[in-house]
Amino acid sequence: MSTELKDDLRRFLHWGPITLLTLLLIVTWTVIHMNSMWWAPDTSLESVLNYALIWVQTFGTLYNFIRSLMVGPGFVPLKWHPPVRKDKKFLQFCTRCNGYKAPRSHHCQRCGRCVMKMDHHCPWINTCVGWSNQDSFVYFLLFFMSGSIQGGIIIVSAVTRGIQKRWLIRHGLHHMATVHLTQTNLMACVFSLGVIMGTTLASITLLYMQLKVILKNQTEIDLWIVKKAAFRRNAYPQKRIKDFVYPYNLGWKANIREVFLSSGDGISWPVLPGCDEYSLTREQLQQKKDKRARTRVFRCIRPATGHWLPIFSQGLWVSFHIPCPHGSRIALEPDDIIHVTRIQECWLYGERMITEKEKVEMRRRKGAIRGWFPSCCAVEECEDYDSENDLAGGEPVEEQDSDQEILELLRNLHAPAC
């Protein structure tokens, strides 16, 4: 068995896919059981079509779910670099993948790779939604939503018929008094109905977000870059920065074809006239430069565990003010230097600088290197550190001859486990 196939199968061993498949099994069993009493498939042609539709939507959901998970979003090859050497200056370098980030690609900490046209990391499929699997993900949401709606209608109708069973018998409608409610199937119906309501709302929300992404050809990350581009120009009007034009919105028809009928490679993308393939990446690099200019340097004075809720180490107050449930946490040791870019009450977001010991030993400490940590664990430093030479994986590092030694050291560092 190939390594790639093992990695694909390993994605199933996660709480997201296991939970989703378990709930799908319970709800499908409940729907089929109640449908067999409420509208048995051998009573009419319509009942056969209804029964067939249940299985079509079930298999459609399973097929597109498995395809989204197994195919994956598409990863930028390790050690990738642009065909034209001079184009490297327009791209960010990822030290974890030891290569350059292709246009529209971003490094996912959970996947441990740079993802082509990354939209977001979905825990339910235990991988990212990106170039290769966005169409399957949308189909999965459509089948899941329509199947949930049909299942909800069947369960409600069957339970209603079961509650009215005595009334139907008294009025001589014995042919309709076919639903027999028991404690087991009634509990299964209540549970399944709750699951259906929750998943239907979630599916509608996700489907709406994906349709916006597809129609504008603008992923959630692209949208964030565009917002920051507008902020740069509004915040510094005196600099007269040239207006930024998002290069990938080709019109809704072309955008739809790109997602569902695309035969591209996930690296090169068609752009609007007047733009080129590096229009977005140049804006990203400038935003990173501005971000580094705003960076504040902190020094760790007490250990940070890297736990999501550091109740025992930092107390309840810090734990009750968690900044972002989807943001990673970093573990720190005294005297670590952190480049902080976001400050919130009780928490700071930054990137730990690689220590000299890690460079010498060619080995990096376990755990994330960029994320949130309690503000009480660090104090701001007045001394100015050279951030360009000590950035960790994910930040842009321009490959220059004067920095070659440090780059070679960074490339050989092992990526932390996600």
PDB file of all heavy atoms in Angstrom, residues 354-367:
ATOM      1  N   ILE A 354      13.132  31.206  16.371  1.00  0.00           N
ATOM      2  CA  ILE A 354      13.924  29.989  16.526  1.00  0.00           C
ATOM      3  C   ILE A 354      15.192  30.319  17.298  1.00  0.00           C
ATOM      4  O   ILE A 354      15.904  31.272  16.969  1.00  0.00           O
ATOM      5  CB  ILE A 354      14.267  29.398  15.152  1.00  0.00           C
ATOM      6  CG1 ILE A 354      12.973  29.019  14.435  1.00  0.00           C
ATOM      7  CG2 ILE A 354      15.177  28.192  15.275  1.00  0.00           C
ATOM      8  CD1 ILE A 354      13.167  28.630  12.996  1.00  0.00           C
ATOM      9  N   THR A 355      15.465  29.550  18.323  1.00  0.00           N
ATOM     10  CA  THR A 355      16.625  29.814  19.184  1.00  0.00           C
ATOM     11  C   THR A 355      17.912  29.345  18.526  1.00  0.00           C
ATOM     12  O   THR A 355      17.906  28.523  17.605  1.00  0.00           O
ATOM     13  CB  THR A 355      16.450  29.112  20.533  1.00  0.00           C
ATOM     14  OG1 THR A 355      16.432  27.684  20.325  1.00  0.00           O
ATOM     15  CG2 THR A 355      15.151  29.531  21.207  1.00  0.00           C
ATOM     16  N   GLU A 356      19.030  29.874  19.038  1.00  0.00           N
ATOM     17  CA  GLU A 356      20.336  29.462  18.518  1.00  0.00           C
ATOM     18  C   GLU A 356      20.578  27.971  18.759  1.00  0.00           C
ATOM     19  O   GLU A 356      21.186  27.288  17.936  1.00  0.00           O
ATOM     20  CB  GLU A 356      21.438  30.296  19.180  1.00  0.00           C
ATOM     21  CG  GLU A 356      21.436  31.756  18.787  1.00  0.00           C
ATOM     22  CD  GLU A 356      21.689  31.941  17.299  1.00  0.00           C
ATOM     23  OE1 GLU A 356      22.438  31.126  16.720  1.00  0.00           O
ATOM     24  OE2 GLU A 356      21.127  32.879  16.716  1.00  0.00           O
ATOM     25  N   LYS A 357      20.082  27.468  19.889  1.00  0.00           N
ATOM     26  CA  LYS A 357      20.261  26.047  20.193  1.00  0.00           C
ATOM     27  C   LYS A 357      19.568  25.181  19.149  1.00  0.00           C
ATOM     28  O   LYS A 357      20.113  24.163  18.707  1.00  0.00           O
ATOM     29  CB  LYS A 357      19.696  25.743  21.579  1.00  0.00           C
ATOM     30  CG  LYS A 357      19.850  24.294  22.013  1.00  0.00           C
ATOM     31  CD  LYS A 357      19.272  24.072  23.401  1.00  0.00           C
ATOM     32  CE  LYS A 357      19.398  22.605  23.808  1.00  0.00           C
ATOM     33  NZ  LYS A 357      18.805  22.370  25.154  1.00  0.00           N
ATOM     34  N   GLU A 358      18.352  25.573  18.725  1.00  0.00           N
ATOM     35  CA  GLU A 358      17.627  24.816  17.717  1.00  0.00           C
ATOM     36  C   GLU A 358      18.351  24.851  16.376  1.00  0.00           C
ATOM     37  O   GLU A 358      18.384  23.863  15.642  1.00  0.00           O
ATOM     38  CB  GLU A 358      16.207  25.378  17.565  1.00  0.00           C
ATOM     39  CG  GLU A 358      15.310  25.103  18.752  1.00  0.00           C
ATOM     40  CD  GLU A 358      13.968  25.787  18.623  1.00  0.00           C
ATOM     41  OE1 GLU A 358      13.924  27.026  18.686  1.00  0.00           O
ATOM     42  OE2 GLU A 358      12.969  25.083  18.434  1.00  0.00           O
ATOM     43  N   LYS A 359      18.956  26.011  16.055  1.00  0.00           N
ATOM     44  CA  LYS A 359      19.694  26.117  14.798  1.00  0.00           C
ATOM     45  C   LYS A 359      20.921  25.216  14.802  1.00  0.00           C
ATOM     46  O   LYS A 359      21.220  24.539  13.812  1.00  0.00           O
ATOM     47  CB  LYS A 359      20.116  27.564  14.558  1.00  0.00           C
ATOM     48  CG  LYS A 359      18.965  28.509  14.277  1.00  0.00           C
ATOM     49  CD  LYS A 359      19.470  29.919  14.107  1.00  0.00           C
ATOM     50  CE  LYS A 359      18.326  30.896  13.876  1.00  0.00           C
ATOM     51  NZ  LYS A 359      18.801  32.292  13.738  1.00  0.00           N
ATOM     52  N   VAL A 360      21.623  25.204  15.935  1.00  0.00           N
ATOM     53  CA  VAL A 360      22.844  24.405  16.028  1.00  0.00           C
ATOM     54  C   VAL A 360      22.520  22.921  15.961  1.00  0.00           C
ATOM     55  O   VAL A 360      23.174  22.139  15.266  1.00  0.00           O
ATOM     56  CB  VAL A 360      23.608  24.744  17.317  1.00  0.00           C
ATOM     57  CG1 VAL A 360      24.765  23.766  17.527  1.00  0.00           C
ATOM     58  CG2 VAL A 360      24.132  26.175  17.265  1.00  0.00           C
ATOM     59  N   GLU A 361      21.451  22.513  16.686  1.00  0.00           N
ATOM     60  CA  GLU A 361      21.082  21.095  16.743  1.00  0.00           C
ATOM     61  C   GLU A 361      20.248  20.658  15.542  1.00  0.00           C
ATOM     62  O   GLU A 361      19.948  19.469  15.414  1.00  0.00           O
ATOM     63  CB  GLU A 361      20.304  20.814  18.030  1.00  0.00           C
ATOM     64  CG  GLU A 361      21.130  21.020  19.299  1.00  0.00           C
ATOM     65  CD  GLU A 361      20.318  20.727  20.553  1.00  0.00           C
ATOM     66  OE1 GLU A 361      19.092  20.478  20.422  1.00  0.00           O
ATOM     67  OE2 GLU A 361      20.906  20.746  21.653  1.00  0.00           O
ATOM     68  N   MET A 362      19.900  21.601  14.662  1.00  0.00           N
ATOM     69  CA  MET A 362      19.075  21.280  13.490  1.00  0.00           C
ATOM     70  C   MET A 362      17.774  20.591  13.899  1.00  0.00           C
ATOM     71  O   MET A 362      17.295  19.672  13.227  1.00  0.00           O
ATOM     72  CB  MET A 362      19.844  20.364  12.509  1.00  0.00           C
ATOM     73  CG  MET A 362      21.085  20.992  11.944  1.00  0.00           C
ATOM     74  SD  MET A 362      20.654  22.280  10.781  1.00  0.00           S
ATOM     75  CE  MET A 362      22.266  22.596  10.063  1.00  0.00           C
ATOM     76  N   ARG A 363      17.219  21.012  14.989  1.00  0.00           N
ATOM     77  CA  ARG A 363      16.015  20.356  15.507  1.00  0.00           C
ATOM     78  C   ARG A 363      15.138  21.388  16.196  1.00  0.00           C
ATOM     79  O   ARG A 363      15.624  22.172  17.007  1.00  0.00           O
ATOM     80  CB  ARG A 363      16.414  19.259  16.489  1.00  0.00           C
ATOM     81  CG  ARG A 363      15.256  18.410  16.983  1.00  0.00           C
ATOM     82  CD  ARG A 363      15.767  17.315  17.890  1.00  0.00           C
ATOM     83  NE  ARG A 363      14.702  16.465  18.362  1.00  0.00           N
ATOM     84  CZ  ARG A 363      14.862  15.444  19.190  1.00  0.00           C
ATOM     85  NH1 ARG A 363      16.091  15.149  19.618  1.00  0.00           N
ATOM     86  NH2 ARG A 363      13.845  14.709  19.580  1.00  0.00           N
ATOM     87  N   ARG A 364      13.858  21.370  15.864  1.00  0.00           N
ATOM     88  CA  ARG A 364      12.947  22.339  16.440  1.00  0.00           C
ATOM     89  C   ARG A 364      12.067  21.699  17.499  1.00  0.00           C
ATOM     90  O   ARG A 364      11.720  20.521  17.388  1.00  0.00           O
ATOM     91  CB  ARG A 364      12.073  22.953  15.337  1.00  0.00           C
ATOM     92  CG  ARG A 364      11.484  24.298  15.720  1.00  0.00           C
ATOM     93  CD  ARG A 364      10.952  25.025  14.504  1.00  0.00           C
ATOM     94  NE  ARG A 364       9.692  24.454  14.037  1.00  0.00           N
ATOM     95  CZ  ARG A 364       9.099  24.826  12.919  1.00  0.00           C
ATOM     96  NH1 ARG A 364       9.657  25.723  12.141  1.00  0.00           N
ATOM     97  NH2 ARG A 364       7.951  24.290  12.555  1.00  0.00           N
ATOM     98  N   ARG A 365      11.701  22.490  18.490  1.00  0.00           N
ATOM     99  CA  ARG A 365      10.846  21.971  19.562  1.00  0.00           C
ATOM    100  C   ARG A 365       9.488  21.558  19.012  1.00  0.00           C
ATOM    101  O   ARG A 365       9.003  22.101  18.027  1.00  0.00           O
ATOM    102  CB  ARG A 365      10.639  23.043  20.647  1.00  0.00           C
ATOM    103  CG  ARG A 365      11.915  23.429  21.369  1.00  0.00           C
ATOM    104  CD  ARG A 365      11.638  24.024  22.738  1.00  0.00           C
ATOM    105  NE  ARG A 365      10.672  25.095  22.739  1.00  0.00           N
ATOM    106  CZ  ARG A 365      10.973  26.366  23.008  1.00  0.00           C
ATOM    107  NH1 ARG A 365      12.235  26.712  23.229  1.00  0.00           N
ATOM    108  NH2 ARG A 365      10.038  27.279  23.044  1.00  0.00           N
ATOM    109  N   LYS A 366       8.877  20.602  19.688  1.00  0.00           N
ATOM    110  CA  LYS A 366       7.562  20.124  19.270  1.00  0.00           C
ATOM    111  C   LYS A 366       6.520  21.198  19.495  1.00  0.00           C
ATOM    112  O   LYS A 366       6.643  22.035  20.367  1.00  0.00           O
ATOM    113  CB  LYS A 366       7.189  18.859  20.035  1.00  0.00           C
ATOM    114  CG  LYS A 366       8.035  17.633  19.677  1.00  0.00           C
ATOM    115  CD  LYS A 366       7.554  16.416  20.440  1.00  0.00           C
ATOM    116  CE  LYS A 366       8.365  15.179  20.057  1.00  0.00           C
ATOM    117  NZ  LYS A 366       7.897  13.980  20.782  1.00  0.00           N
ATOM    118  N   GLY A 367       5.443  21.105  18.725  1.00  0.00           N
ATOM    119  CA  GLY A 367       4.337  22.031  18.882  1.00  0.00           C
ATOM    120  C   GLY A 367       4.379  23.162  17.877  1.00  0.00           C
ATOM    121  O   GLY A 367       5.361  23.363  17.155  1.00  0.00           O
TER     122      GLY A 367
END
